[in-house]
């Protein structure tokens, strides 16, 4: 049997897909990149906000066009976990739905399909969450120079707008030794950049060890031969300890980059969001990071148009963005989600107001990004090569940029380079979100 698998959504979803492929491959199931060559298509979906749900649903219908008498369609992931019962009724094109906790069952399901012992349509979403987060086989790209490692799953924060705890379950960490062993395996496969992901990496270890263990984990990961960059994604500002900052400062492998999704800066909005942060606590955390590491690049995400967000709240947010000068910033218009406290709040903001506010923040950030990029002109940076755009011209990124979401460096080289090479590049020019240069 040959399986084609496609992924939508965040890095956690792509990590799940690698795991699902690894589980299937270990049971003798062949993975193919060609839809036409497949017996089964699996779409790993996102169901976090409305735009992601629409994208997932549209792609389901697109893949359904490839179905025939022998080629089946399975839908997995967050959309399935959240809406499988409704989707089962509304999408007869899909043979099976599985959630985020059923990837172990794929070999069994696929073999039943192959042997025709699994006939008709099925909803396999159980909602069952395993207490212990285990290491499972993964299938990587041919050149896995950059790889995520999921150090924890689920979330206990219960922010008013978020459905992740209902989709992914409660927070649970992998054991330190399991994370280290997985990282060693990745390094042996050629991984140079290790990206730590979880819903909140700064909460890592509290469930297993009774206290945060991220700093301890990082020390061990930095000792792994072959790993050159270590990147932290999705950190809560109130859990960024002095110990963690000290480790980041002392360990050269840890990128001077941190992703802190603060969501807002107005205390009244933060309170309604059920965030623990305040405007002052965010400022204090940013100040500690910048004092210890003046070159640190902080990425954040914001939500505009949260229920009850006033013009005054929004102006405070704009002023905050201008004051803090985050190196990287993304903005989402609030998505009203069912079964969330925010979804039934009064004072929902009209969509056109949300979009206007989103555009205003992004225009402000564009100026900040251009200013910070111009400061890099004339300096030399390590750049990780991602691909060759045309002969002698390459696309890469610095230590200060995460894959897919941050800035790129477009540069020339007189020698042949390959994805995963790390080279020194002199920055010659700067734009809103990209840099250009030449290898030196």
């Amino acid at each position: 049997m040959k399986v084609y698998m496609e992924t939508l959504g965040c890095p956690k979803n792509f990590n799940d897909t690698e795991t699902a492929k690894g589980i299937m491959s270990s049971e003798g199931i062949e993975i193919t990149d060609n839809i036409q060559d497949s017996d089964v298509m699996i779409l790993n979906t996102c169901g976090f906000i409305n735009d992601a749900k629409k994208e997932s649903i549209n792609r389901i219908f697109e893949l359904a066009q490839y179905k025939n008498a022998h080629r089946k369609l399975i839908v997995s992931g967050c959309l399935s976990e959240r809406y499988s019962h409704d989707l089962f009724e509304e999408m007869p094109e899909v043979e099976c739905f599985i959630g985020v906790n059923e990837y172990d069952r794929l070999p069994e399901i696929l073999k039943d399909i192959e042997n025709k012992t699994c006939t008709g349509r099925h909803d396999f979403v159980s909602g069952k969450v395993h207490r212990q987060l285990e290491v499972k086989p993964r299938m990587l790209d041919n050149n896995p120079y950059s790889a995520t490692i999921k150090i924890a799953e689920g979330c206990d924060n219960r922010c008013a707008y978020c459905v992740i705890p209902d989709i992914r379950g409660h927070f649970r960490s992998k054991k330190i030794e399991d994370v280290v062993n997985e990282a060693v395996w990745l390094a042996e496969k050629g991984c140079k950049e290790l990206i730590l992901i979880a819903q909140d990496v700064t909460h890592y270890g509290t469930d297993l060890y009774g206290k945060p263990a991220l700093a301890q984990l990082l020390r061990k990961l930095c000792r792994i031969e072959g790993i050159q960059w270590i990147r932290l994604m999705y950190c809560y500002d109130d859990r960024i300890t002095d110990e963690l900052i000290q480790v980041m400062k002392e360990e050269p492998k840890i990128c001077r980059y941190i992703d802190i999704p603060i969501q807002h800066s107005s205390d009244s909005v933060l309170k309604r969001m059920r965030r623990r942060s305040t405007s002052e606590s965010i400022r204090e955390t940013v100040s500690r990071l910048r004092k210890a590491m003046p070159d640190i690049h902080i990425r954040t995400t914001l939500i505009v148009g949260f229920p009850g967000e006033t013009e005054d709240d929004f102006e405070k947010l704009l002023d905050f963005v201008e004051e803090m000068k985050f190196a990287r910033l993304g903005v989402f218009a609030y998505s009203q989600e069912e079964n969330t406290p925010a979804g039934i709040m009064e004072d929902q903001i009209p969509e056109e107001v949300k979009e206007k506010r989103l555009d205003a923040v992004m225009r402000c950030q564009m100026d900040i990004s251009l200013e910070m990029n111009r400061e890099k002109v004339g300096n030399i940076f390590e750049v990780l090569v991602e691909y060759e755009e045309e002969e002698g011209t390459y696309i890469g990124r610095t230590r200060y940029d995460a894959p897919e979401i941050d800035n790129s460096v477009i540069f020339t080289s007189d020698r042949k380079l390959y994805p995963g090479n790390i080279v020194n590049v002199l920055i010659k020019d700067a734009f809103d979100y990209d840099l250009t240069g030449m290898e030196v």
Side-chain angles (χ1 to χ4, degrees), residues 8 78 103 128 139 151 162-164 183 198 206 211 226 233 325 328 332 350 390 394 396 416 437:
L8 302 174
C78 294
Y103 292 114
K128 182 180 179 182
M139 177 178 284
I151 65 172
C162 187
V163 296
I164 292 298
T206 52
K211 61 180 181 179
M233 303 291 288
K325 294 189 183 301
R328 313 283 182 255
F332 295 92
E390 56 185 56
Y394 297 87
K416 183 67 174 178

Side-chain angles (χ1 to χ4, degrees), residues 35-281:
I35 292 179
Q36 301 287 3
D37 194 37
S38 66
D39 302 299
V40 174
M41 302 172 290
I42 303 175
L43 179 64
N44 189 7
T45 59
C46 181
F48 182 47
I49 59 176
N50 286 329
D51 287 347
K53 288 185 281 188
K54 290 176 184 176
E55 181 186 18
S56 293
I57 290 169
N58 289 338
R59 189 56 182 157
I60 291 170
F61 286 128
E62 289 171 357
L63 288 179
Q65 303 303 310
Y66 292 92
K67 285 186 58 180
N68 56 34
H70 305 290
R71 187 178 298 122
K72 309 299 182 183
L73 176 59
I74 295 176
V75 174
S76 69
C78 294
L79 192 75
S80 282
E81 187 72 34
R82 194 174 176 192
Y83 298 110
S84 67
H85 301 310
D86 294 332
L87 295 173
F88 187 82
E89 298 296 327
E90 297 174 8
M91 290 187 166
E93 299 87 352
V94 180
E95 270 75 26
C96 299
F97 291 92
I98 66 173
V100 299
N101 301 297
E102 275 80 45
Y103 292 114
D104 282 343
R105 296 193 60 187
L106 271 174
E108 170 195 350
I109 292 168
L110 293 170
K111 287 176 182 178
D112 284 346
I113 290 175
E114 185 177 35
N115 297 329
K116 295 183 171 53
T117 54
C118 178
T119 58
R121 300 175 61 238
H122 299 273
D123 178 1
F124 291 109
V125 178
S126 67
K128 182 180 179 182
V129 175
H130 301 292
R131 180 60 208 166
Q132 182 63 49
L133 192 61
E134 299 174 349
V135 176
K136 296 172 182 174
R138 290 170 63 181
M139 177 178 284
L140 305 174
D141 293 335
N142 292 330
N143 186 7
Y145 57 85
S146 175
T148 60
I149 187 163
K150 187 187 290 187
I151 65 172
E153 179 64 285
C155 187
D156 295 335
N157 290 316
R158 294 287 174 182
C159 299
Y161 51 82
C162 187
V163 296
I164 292 298
D166 294 330
I167 295 174
R168 295 278 178 176
H170 51 76
F171 187 87
R172 52 210 188 275
S173 305
K174 283 182 185 173
K175 295 177 181 177
I176 288 178
E177 55 267 32
D178 288 342
V179 177
V180 171
N181 288 338
E182 187 174 356
V184 169
W185 177 80
L186 288 169
E188 291 171 348
K189 294 292 183 180
C191 175
K192 295 182 179 179
E193 178 187 41
L194 192 64
I195 305 171
L196 274 58
I197 59 172
Q199 204 59 36
D200 175 9
V201 299
T202 42
H203 197 42
Y204 172 77
T206 52
D207 55 321
L208 295 179
Y209 310 112
K211 61 180 181 179
L214 181 59
Q216 179 183 356
L217 173 65
L218 285 169
R219 293 283 193 194
K220 292 181 179 294
L221 294 176
C222 287
R223 306 282 83 81
I224 297 174
E225 186 176 350
I227 300 296
Q228 297 184 44
W229 293 2
I230 298 176
R231 191 178 304 281
L232 299 180
M233 303 291 288
Y234 321 124
C235 304
Y236 275 60
D237 72 282
D238 62 306
R239 289 179 171 144
I240 297 174
T241 63
D242 289 339
E243 181 186 16
L244 174 60
I245 292 174
Q246 190 66 23
V247 171
M248 293 181 67
K249 178 181 178 180
E250 292 176 355
E251 295 288 356
K253 287 188 179 182
I254 302 177
C255 297
R256 298 289 175 85
Y257 173 104
I258 190 168
D259 187 311
I260 312 173
I262 62 173
Q263 313 303 5
H264 215 281
S265 66
S266 167
D267 287 343
S268 60
V269 176
L270 288 167
K271 185 175 181 180
R272 288 196 299 278
M273 286 180 167
R274 299 186 179 178
R275 303 281 292 185
R276 296 185 300 272
S277 305
T278 65
S279 178
E280 187 55 37
S281 74

